[in-house]
């Protein structure tokens, strides 16, 4: 069995990939966090009750995990890979990096 790897993507790479229809962003933060500030185009699958089968069919897109700082997204990616899904990408730095890059968020 090979070691699973998680590939870092920058906020700009993720934003561009979403805009081009190549990436499906999966936010693994908790609902209370998402309620405060959300990624504009993400589906939410909280890590607390994480089941990779809860991720919607990406329909040919590549799944990219995201969280607040980039830790939980790695955990989610590894869990998905352990479940046999080839979801090996995450947003490095999470929401903090996303905002630092000046990218839009949805609040409230």
């Amino acid at each position: 069995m090979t070691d699973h790897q998680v590939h870092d993507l920058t906020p700009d790479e993720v934003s561009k990939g979403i805009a081009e229809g190549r990436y499906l962003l999966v936010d693994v933060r908790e609902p209370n966090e998402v309620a405060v500030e959300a990624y504009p185009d993400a589906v939410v699958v909280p890590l607390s009750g994480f089941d990779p089968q809860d991720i919607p069919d990406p329909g040919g897109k590549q799944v990219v995990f995201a969280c607040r700082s980039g830790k939980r997204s790695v955990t989610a990616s590894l869990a998905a890979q352990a479940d046999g899904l080839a979801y090996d990408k995450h947003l490095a730095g999470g929401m903090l990096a996303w905002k630092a890059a000046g990218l839009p968020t949805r609040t409230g």
Side-chain angles (χ1 to χ4, degrees), residues 16-31:
K16 187 166 183 277
I18 292 169
E20 293 172 354
R22 290 184 292 117
Y23 293 153
L24 171 66
L25 194 63
V26 177
D27 188 349
V28 297
R29 297 174 305 149
E30 299 307 308

Side-chain angles (χ1 to χ4, degrees), residues 2-48:
T2 55
D3 283 338
H4 294 308
Q5 287 184 319
V6 181
H7 299 285
D8 292 349
L9 293 176
T10 67
D12 287 332
E13 286 172 324
V14 174
S15 176
K16 187 166 183 277
I18 292 169
E20 293 172 354
R22 290 184 292 117
Y23 293 153
L24 171 66
L25 194 63
V26 177
D27 188 349
V28 297
R29 297 174 305 149
E30 299 307 308
N32 61 306
E33 294 175 272
V34 177
V36 173
E37 192 162 34
Y39 294 101
D41 299 296
V43 294
V44 179
V45 183
L47 191 63
S48 59

Side-chain angles (χ1 to χ4, degrees), residues 64-90:
V64 178
F65 292 103
C67 60
R68 188 187 75 91
S69 66
K71 288 189 177 70
R72 282 174 287 177
S73 50
V74 169
T75 302
S77 177
L78 291 172
Q81 290 179 57
D83 209 44
L85 297 164
Y87 299 165
D88 63 352
K89 295 177 174 58
H90 87 119

